């Protein structure tokens, strides 16, 4: 059950990052950079396999900002 919560939290964080950029235009702010670092830390700390565990839509959003 814990793993599902991690994936849900990660997905929500990625979607929040997208909203900061698209809806609010805040992609050049310090908060945006912090959000990206938090996402990277969450992935690293929980050893998330992005291709296998993320929803395809969220994976696409992730790739937009991290690859």
């Amino acid at each position: 059950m814990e793993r599902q919560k991690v994936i849900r939290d990660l997905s929500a964080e990625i979607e929040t990052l997208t909203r900061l950029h698209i809806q609010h235009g805040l992609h050049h702010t310090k908060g945006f950079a912090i959000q990206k670092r938090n996402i990277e830390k969450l992935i690293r700390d929980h050893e998330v396999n992005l291709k296998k565990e993320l929803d395809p839509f969220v994976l696409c959003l992730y790739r937009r900002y991290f690859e």
Side-chain angles (χ1 to χ4, degrees):
M1 190 68 165
E2 175 66 27
R3 190 67 176 176
Q4 291 175 352
K5 182 179 179 342
V6 169
I7 300 304
R8 278 194 312 267
D9 290 349
L10 177 59
S11 295
E13 293 296 323
I14 293 170
E15 290 173 7
T16 297
L17 185 76
T18 302
R19 275 194 299 284
L20 287 173
H21 176 222
I22 294 172
Q23 292 178 350
H24 304 289
L26 299 174
H27 55 285
H28 295 296
T29 65
K30 186 176 181 179
F32 188 84
I34 291 170
Q35 182 77 8
K36 282 184 75 171
R37 282 195 304 270
N38 290 342
I39 291 168
E40 290 169 335
K41 184 178 182 327
L42 184 62
I43 292 167
R44 191 174 45 254
D45 290 350
H46 295 283
E47 300 176 355
V48 176
N49 182 329
L50 299 171
K51 290 181 181 178
K52 290 184 179 180
E53 296 183 275
L54 283 183
D55 175 84
F57 176 73
V58 176
L59 180 59
C60 182
L61 293 176
Y62 172 83
R63 286 180 173 159
R64 178 176 181 176
Y65 294 102
F66 291 91
E67 291 183 358

